[in-house]
Amino acid sequence: MQTITETEALAAFCARAHQAPYVTVDTEFLRERTYYSKLCLVQLALPGRGEDDAVLVDPLVEGLSLDPLMKLFRDESVVKVFHAARQDLEIFQIDHGVIPAPLFDTQVAAMVCGFGEQVGYETLVKRIAKGSVDKSSRFTDWSRRPLTDAQKTYALADVTHLRDIYEFLAAKLEETGRERWVAEEVAVLTDPETYITRPRDAWKRIKTRSNSPRFLAIVRELAAFREAYAQSRNIPRNRVFKDDALVELASTKPANLQDLGRSRLLLREARKGEIAEGILASVATGQTCPKEDLPEAERGRDNDQVNPALADLLRVLLKAKTEAYGVASKLIAQAADLDRIASGARDVAALKGWRRKVFGDDALRLCEGRIALAAEGERVRVIEL
């Protein structure tokens, strides 16, 4: 098992990769104690079965430059194959400003090819590569050196089996003519905007029971403070305060340190110092926010707006479409997407691109009362009205 620790050796491997049709890629990283992921290992494999066709790259070695790898990532003639690529791509984008292209994500492709919802790598190894993966090293500390043989074997398996999986799925997509479907999904992964977390937008990820604009204004300010604080110190946002504490603070609206001391959910460290000051300032800003700047809940977020009967019919239609096309239902639409459509929202991913042809057109016709659904044995049939 070759571990690359010198820039010259990495450049030599990448020179070979530039001549290959594809390279499989994976990473090992740590994120439990930081806001940004710490890259600990890069695994690479080329087509072939030779010992020098798959390598480990140790980015923690002093003096090793990843520039040859970044050059390879920019080479449009070589497909970069990942499984569930989002976190890997985030690391390369944030650390180096590079997103590998062209990109092939085997998890996305597997969902398009009917392998189920967010299918795991081990499942694809068993079903396509007819192999197995030793999971014993999955949760080890990848920053510790030296790496054990078990860790190296586990890490390499993440890219060696991936070659067979990629070749199978690529052929399947070509056979079914669904390459464009995967391309639309990958376009989101290769968009740098996907990996930019703006503190001012962080509130949109918070689940709340109230959609009061004033309440949401306080949530927005608290979430923005927490995100900026976590980013600047490279610590997990939950180390500042957790979501449930944030919602509690937006509800109780503490005005001073004594009020903060009454919080049931706030960590002790957050009741003093910079965090406490930031909380109190955020609450005050949210309370005094001008009416014209108050945030609005996304349309369809309020369950009162959802037509429950229509939402149920959309779920039946989605199930029928996924069975007919052999595509994972969550790839077409999430439950929240169906609720949004049933509430009247139309700016929904399920109504755009390839999804519109597979599901969206009939979903809209169902909402407009132009089609009905009928059961035929175990199948559902669309009836024109």
Side-chain angles (χ1 to χ4, degrees):
M1 291 179 286
Q2 181 184 357
T3 301
I4 291 177
T5 58
E6 297 179 351
T7 305
E8 293 76 9
L10 178 58
F13 182 85
C14 289
R16 290 181 57 208
H18 281 290
Q19 307 306 313
Y22 70 84
V23 57
T24 57
V25 189
D26 190 38
T27 69
E28 305 298 341
F29 55 87
L30 292 180
R31 197 172 191 170
E32 289 79 10
R33 297 183 294 272
T34 58
Y35 183 92
Y36 299 105
S37 297
K38 177 182 179 181
L39 182 63
C40 298
L41 195 67
V42 181
Q43 303 98 280
L44 303 167
L46 302 176
R49 293 294 183 270
E51 290 185 359
D52 58 349
D53 291 328
V55 299
L56 305 174
V57 181
D58 190 347
L60 299 184
V61 174
E62 186 176 354
L64 174 68
S65 170
L66 293 182
D67 286 350
L69 182 59
M70 297 306 115
K71 181 180 178 181
L72 174 62
F73 284 169
R74 294 188 184 98
D75 186 345
E76 293 284 342
S77 70
V78 183
V79 177
K80 289 76 181 181
V81 182
F82 291 77
H83 180 81
R86 185 172 182 128
Q87 287 186 299
D88 303 308
L89 301 186
E90 181 180 26
I91 293 172
F92 295 129
Q93 168 62 19
I94 290 175
D95 289 355
H96 300 278
V98 174
I99 295 180
L103 176 75
F104 189 98
D105 190 318
T106 55
Q107 184 178 72
V108 174
M111 292 172 73
V112 168
C113 291
F115 281 84
E117 312 287 351
Q118 295 180 319
V119 60
Y121 180 67
E122 293 84 358
T123 299
L124 294 181
V125 170
K126 290 178 183 178
R127 294 178 62 181
I128 296 176
K130 310 303 180 186
S132 61
V133 177
D134 181 2
K135 306 178 192 176
S136 60
S137 297
R138 172 179 290 180
F139 299 112
T140 58
D141 184 347
W142 290 99
S143 67
R144 297 187 64 179
R145 294 295 184 272
L147 296 173
T148 66
D149 285 346
Q151 285 177 304
K152 293 179 180 180
T153 299
Y154 168 86
L156 271 182
D158 281 346
V159 288
T160 53
H161 293 305
L162 195 55
R163 297 177 292 202
D164 294 328
I165 294 169
Y166 163 67
E167 291 176 6
F168 176 90
L169 292 174
K172 190 76 172 175
L173 291 171
E174 183 178 5
E175 176 188 330
T176 58
R178 296 181 179 180
E179 298 101 323
R180 185 174 59 82
W181 298 14
V182 174
E184 286 186 29
E185 302 307 301
V186 167
V188 176
L189 293 174
T190 55
D191 183 354
E193 281 290 317
T194 300
Y195 308 102
I196 297 175
T197 303
R198 293 182 173 84
R200 202 64 181 164
D201 295 329
W203 70 278
K204 297 176 182 178
R205 297 193 305 267
I206 309 297
K207 294 182 179 179
T208 64
R209 293 183 178 180
S210 171
N211 286 332
S212 160
R214 183 62 62 186
F215 171 80
L216 292 178
I218 301 175
V219 169
R220 179 179 64 188
E221 299 302 326
L222 287 167
F225 163 71
R226 181 179 68 170
E227 205 73 22
Y229 188 93
Q231 288 177 351
S232 66
R233 289 158 180 79
N234 196 23
I235 60 174
R237 62 177 66 90
N238 283 346
R239 285 268 303 276
V240 186
F241 46 83
K242 297 182 178 180
D243 284 2
D244 54 359
L246 188 154
V247 174
E248 180 195 49
L249 292 168
S251 300
T252 57
K253 306 178 187 64
N256 50 52
L257 293 178
Q258 187 176 4
D259 291 342
L260 280 183
R262 299 190 184 99
S263 170
R264 296 179 301 108
L265 303 173
L266 200 60
L267 297 173
R268 182 177 301 175
E269 294 78 9
R271 304 182 187 204
K272 58 186 178 181
E274 287 183 285
I275 298 179
E277 292 173 5
I279 290 173
L280 296 177
S282 298
V283 171
T285 300
Q287 286 184 295
T288 58
C289 175
K291 287 186 177 181
E292 60 270 20
D293 294 332
L294 291 174
E296 293 183 5
E298 185 179 4
R299 188 178 181 188
R301 189 174 178 179
D302 189 340
N303 289 333
D304 292 341
Q305 298 176 352
V306 177
N307 180 333
L310 180 56
D312 288 341
L313 286 174
L314 288 169
R315 288 176 174 82
V316 174
L317 177 65
L318 176 62
K319 188 174 188 300
K321 293 295 185 179
T322 56
E323 291 176 353
Y325 283 90
V327 181
S329 63
K330 287 185 179 178
L331 188 62
I332 298 175
Q334 304 279 341
D337 296 328
L338 301 182
D339 287 341
R340 291 189 62 213
I341 295 171
S343 72
R346 294 296 178 261
D347 185 20
V348 182
L351 303 179
K352 301 176 181 178
W354 66 268
R355 293 177 175 84
R356 181 159 189 134
K357 176 183 176 182
V358 172
F359 170 74
D361 283 335
D362 278 346
L364 291 174
R365 293 202 298 157
L366 183 64
C367 292
E368 295 163 3
R370 294 191 285 136
I371 62 171
L373 304 177
E376 285 187 349
E378 296 181 354
R379 313 194 74 161
V380 173
R381 182 165 60 94
V382 173
I383 301 174
E384 301 286 341
L385 297 178

